[in-house]
């Protein structure tokens, strides 16, 4: 005879057999609450706002402090957009985003150098790489070859981080490039050979060790040959009084290989202007290193109005002044009096032309000059500090530029590039490591040490904060909102050679800044 047992009894027996409760689970304890339970409205804002592409990212975070404290701060400020992402990164360890080891910044940079170093390069048939005879350092990210002006700022860090051998091998590489091509190309790719970049070779040589006489003579020959490249052809400009200054250029007038589709689109937008002229101006903008900036835009806003070859830039002419001074000094050191006198006169003439055409005392700034308008442009940029950096500015000029820098270019996170928002990467709100170094060095050498230190503190705080949030050293930063920078033709790159170099050099210059930087980042 089969007995029917009530269902409730069966359930009780089964539960007892497995040790399970015989009733509905109670509300979760604090420890068992899910992220949605714990963070409520913050959770919904993050997930619905797609702060992270993968919805699993935020649910796996680890809070850096008690959830109640985090939520109190969230409810007080209710950040949104980029501010919400920064809030999350500041308050949580996010897997795959900011969960790297918390090495001190300087130690992190020292560990990056080997990852950015490359052995001597042999060119491969059919490839675009140019051979280099000795090891070198690349910027990182998409920049897999050595770049000209980047390398000066990278070398600053290599030198103070005990990598003097790499500095020397990079100098040998650049000397070799001048010997083979008559110039240092934009980078070591065949598609860069038609242009150079801001001529920092003379200043790079200052970072080298005292070379033996044969090496010193070879480097001086290369320096003079590079100067000759800048003083021939379309890069030379005759000003209204007959004096000579320089502009950026490129030997070709076709789309850049590395940005072909972008250049074709820009030229189409610029029509009916001849496409060849647009291509040449885009290429000249790439030679400037400021690719791209309102400095080169006729309307100050759109890339299709690019006119780089119409501009006589203050930074280029300051660097050529520095090169002429150093050639004169090096010639004097080897008793070549004729060379020393010749280049001394060239430097003096350039300085006089800069003072006449590129210095605006009423505006307390150095300016770029428009050839077509026959007058200075209206764009204030961080390039105004180059004459201070190379020792070209008088005490009165330096004082005026320092005042303009403090009042108009200094942002919460460092030095602004320009005051114009265009979406181009060399404009506001971005700041760049090389421009911070030029400002700090230029201000300090002209007696404005407090302002130099202020620029350094703010910039290092920006780099430090983003490093602590992301574990990365970036190509550029937003110095208005103190976050990764943006704009331009490609995503912001990490690595990053010149940011590493300038950061190490500034921390070496101001060793007492470490506590100040930590306090600034923690605010």
């Amino acid at each position: 005879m089969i007995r029917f047992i009530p269902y409730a009894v069966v359930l009780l027996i089964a539960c007892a057999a497995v040790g399970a409760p015989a009733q509905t689970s109670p509300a979760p304890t604090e420890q068992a609450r899910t992220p949605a339970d714990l963070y409520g409205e913050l959770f919904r804002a993050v997930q619905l706002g797609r702060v992270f592409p993968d919805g699993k990212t935020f649910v796996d975070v680890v809070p850096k402090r008690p959830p109640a404290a985090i939520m109190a701060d969230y409810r007080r400020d209710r950040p949104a957009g980029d501010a919400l992402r920064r809030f999350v990164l500041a308050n949580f360890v996010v897997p795959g985003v900011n969960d790297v080891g918390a090495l001190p910044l300087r130690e992190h940079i020292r560990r990056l150098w080997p990852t950015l170093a490359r052995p001597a390069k042999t060119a491969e048939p059919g490839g675009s790489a140019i051979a280099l005879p000795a090891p070198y350092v690349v910027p990182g990210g998409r920049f897999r070859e050595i770049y000209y002006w980047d390398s000066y700022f990278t070398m600053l860090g290599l030198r103070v981080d005990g990598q003097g051998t790499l500095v020397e091998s990079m100098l040998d590489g650049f000397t070799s490039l001048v010997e083979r091509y008559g110039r240092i190309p934009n980078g070591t790719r065949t598609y860069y050979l038609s242009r150079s970049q801001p001529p920092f070779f003379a200043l790079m040589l200052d970072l080298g060790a005292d070379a033996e006489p044969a090496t010193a003579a070879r480097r001086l020959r290369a320096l003079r040959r590079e100067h000759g490249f800048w003083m021939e052809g379309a890069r030379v400009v005759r000003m209204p009084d007959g004096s000579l200054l320089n502009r950026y250029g490129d030997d070709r007038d076709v789309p850049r290989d590395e940005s072909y589709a972008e250049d074709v689109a820009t030229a189409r937008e610029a029509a009916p202007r001849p496409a060849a002229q647009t291509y040449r101006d885009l290429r000249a903008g790439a030679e400037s290193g400021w690719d791209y900036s309102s400095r080169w835009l006729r309307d100050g806003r759109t890339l299709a109005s690019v006119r780089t070859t119409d501009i006589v830039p203050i930074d280029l002419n300051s660097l050529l002044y520095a090169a002429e001074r150093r050639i004169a000094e090096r010639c004097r050191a080897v008793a070549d009096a004729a060379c020393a006198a010749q280049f001394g006169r060239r430097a003096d003439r350039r300085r006089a032309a800069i003072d006449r055409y590129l210095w605006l005392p009423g505006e307390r700034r150095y300016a770029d000059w428009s050839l077509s308008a026959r007058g200075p442009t209206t764009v204030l940029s961080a390039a105004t500090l180059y004459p201070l950096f190379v020792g070209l500015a008088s005490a009165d000029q330096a004082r005026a530029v320092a005042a303009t820098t403090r009042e108009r270019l200094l942002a919460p996170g460092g030095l602004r590039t320009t005051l114009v928002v265009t979406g181009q990467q060399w404009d506001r709100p971005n700041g760049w490591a090389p421009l911070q170094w030029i400002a700090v060095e230029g201000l300090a050498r002209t007696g404005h040490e407090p302002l130099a230190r202020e620029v350094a503190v703010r910039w290092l705080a920006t780099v430090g904060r983003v490093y602590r949030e992301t574990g990365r050293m970036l190509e550029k930063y937003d110095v208005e909102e103190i976050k990764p920078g943006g704009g331009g033709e490609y995503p912001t790159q990490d690595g990053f050679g010149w940011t590493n170099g300038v950061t190490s050099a500034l921390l070496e210059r101001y060793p007492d800044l470490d506590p100040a930087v930590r306090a600034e980042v923690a605010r």
Side-chain angles (χ1 to χ4, degrees):
M1 177 176 171
I2 300 175
R3 294 180 179 272
F4 290 91
I5 303 173
Y7 176 76
V9 175
V10 173
L11 182 60
L12 286 170
I13 294 170
C15 289
V18 298
Q23 59 189 43
T24 304
S25 298
T29 64
E30 180 72 17
Q31 188 167 354
R33 294 173 70 192
T34 73
D37 298 329
L38 281 169
Y39 300 111
E41 53 194 316
L42 170 59
F43 174 86
R44 289 189 292 275
V46 170
Q47 298 292 66
L48 295 178
R50 296 286 185 184
V51 171
F52 305 103
D54 185 345
K56 192 174 185 298
T57 300
F58 186 64
V59 299
D60 292 348
V61 299
V62 176
K64 297 180 180 179
R65 55 199 183 101
I70 294 174
M71 289 306 299
D73 286 348
Y74 173 75
R75 293 188 184 102
R76 184 187 66 243
D77 300 327
R78 298 197 178 277
D82 288 341
L84 177 58
R85 179 181 174 88
R86 292 198 301 276
F87 180 85
V88 171
L89 293 176
N91 287 282
F92 298 90
V93 176
V94 182
V97 181
N98 65 348
D99 57 347
V100 296
L103 284 173
L105 186 56
R106 187 81 183 273
E107 179 60 27
H108 176 70
I109 292 170
R110 288 182 175 129
R111 295 193 185 193
L112 279 176
W113 293 130
T115 71
L116 297 174
R118 301 290 183 271
K121 180 71 177 179
T122 302
E124 299 175 358
S128 61
I130 295 172
L132 278 175
Y136 56 96
V137 174
V138 302
R142 73 196 290 264
F143 302 110
R144 295 177 285 271
E145 48 284 312
I146 198 170
Y147 283 78
Y148 182 3
W149 81 306
D150 294 58
S151 295
Y152 171 73
F153 303 97
T154 299
M155 288 176 179
L156 292 171
L158 291 172
R159 186 178 66 162
V160 299
D161 285 341
Q163 300 287 337
T165 300
L166 260 178
V167 171
E168 294 300 322
S169 69
M170 291 169 74
L171 290 174
D172 289 343
F174 284 127
T175 300
S176 168
L177 289 169
V178 177
E179 291 170 342
R180 283 179 281 160
Y181 301 109
R183 68 191 72 180
I184 297 174
N186 183 157
T188 48
R189 296 281 180 180
T190 54
Y191 50 80
Y192 287 143
L193 281 172
S194 60
R195 64 177 178 268
S196 185
Q197 272 195 328
F200 274 88
F201 185 48
L203 299 177
M204 288 180 186
L205 295 177
D206 291 350
L207 303 179
D210 291 336
E212 60 181 16
T215 300
R218 181 188 174 204
R219 290 177 178 176
L220 175 56
R221 286 194 299 272
L223 182 56
R224 293 184 64 176
R225 188 174 179 190
E226 188 206 25
H227 183 271
F229 159 76
W230 286 99
M231 297 310 298
E232 296 174 355
R235 289 175 177 82
V236 182
V237 172
R238 190 169 294 279
M239 302 301 284
D241 67 350
S243 58
L244 299 181
L245 290 175
N246 290 81
R247 63 181 171 180
Y248 291 111
D250 193 295
D251 297 343
R252 308 190 73 190
D253 60 1
V254 295
R256 292 169 294 157
D257 289 38
E258 74 280 12
S259 299
Y260 192 90
E262 292 87 345
D263 286 1
V264 169
T266 301
R268 188 179 297 121
E269 185 182 349
R273 184 190 189 205
Q277 185 58 51
T278 298
Y279 295 144
R280 195 178 294 280
D281 282 314
L282 287 168
R283 286 173 167 271
E287 181 171 83
S288 79
W290 291 50
D291 45 345
Y292 290 97
S293 169
S294 56
R295 292 177 71 193
W296 319 132
L297 308 182
R298 188 175 300 278
D299 66 7
R301 299 183 305 278
T302 58
L303 188 57
S305 71
V306 64
R307 53 155 182 178
T308 319
T309 58
D310 183 53
I311 303 298
V312 178
I314 183 56
D315 44 358
L316 172 59
N317 284 283
S318 296
L319 291 171
L320 288 171
Y321 170 84
E324 288 158 354
R325 282 290 177 213
R326 280 159 178 77
I327 293 172
E329 292 165 4
R330 289 175 180 272
C331 286
R332 194 174 299 112
V334 295
D336 187 343
C339 165
Q342 176 191 8
F343 280 90
R345 288 192 299 270
R346 287 188 174 201
D348 290 341
R349 288 196 294 265
R350 187 179 298 275
R351 180 175 187 167
I354 288 172
D355 280 345
R356 178 168 185 181
Y357 293 105
L358 308 185
W359 169 241
L360 303 182
E363 298 183 25
R364 301 183 305 174
R365 69 181 178 101
Y366 286 94
D368 302 320
W369 173 275
S370 167
L371 294 168
S372 60
R374 297 178 67 85
T377 72
T378 60
V379 177
L380 169 64
S381 77
T384 194
L385 286 141
Y386 268 79
L388 283 66
F389 173 65
V390 301
L392 172 62
S394 69
D396 288 342
Q397 289 168 328
R399 189 178 307 111
V401 170
T404 298
T405 299
R406 178 175 289 282
E407 294 167 13
R408 304 182 67 190
L409 291 173
L410 189 62
L415 193 73
R416 296 181 178 95
T417 304
T418 70
L419 302 182
V420 185
V421 177
T422 63
Q424 298 302 325
Q425 60 178 350
W426 288 85
D427 276 316
R428 184 179 183 183
N430 284 348
W432 294 79
L435 301 181
Q436 314 301 315
W437 179 260
I438 286 162
V440 170
E441 277 285 293
L443 291 165
R445 74 176 295 170
T446 54
H448 302 280
E449 179 60 45
L451 181 55
R453 182 185 175 91
E454 183 66 23
V455 173
V457 167
R458 296 189 187 200
W459 175 253
L460 289 171
T462 297
V463 173
R465 177 179 296 180
V466 173
Y467 167 65
R468 285 162 177 79
E469 291 179 351
T470 68
R472 297 186 296 163
M473 301 292 287
L474 301 181
E475 173 194 24
K476 55 184 177 274
Y477 296 82
D478 181 330
V479 295
E480 302 281 357
E481 297 191 24
I482 311 181
K483 64 180 184 178
E489 298 178 329
Y490 54 83
T492 298
Q493 301 294 297
D494 63 342
F496 196 86
W498 63 18
T499 304
N500 303 341
V502 168
T503 300
S504 274
L506 287 175
L507 289 173
E508 185 78 11
R509 181 187 185 100
Y510 298 111
D512 61 316
L513 279 191
D514 275 345
V517 170
R518 283 198 297 272
E520 185 74 15
V521 172
R523 291 199 318 189

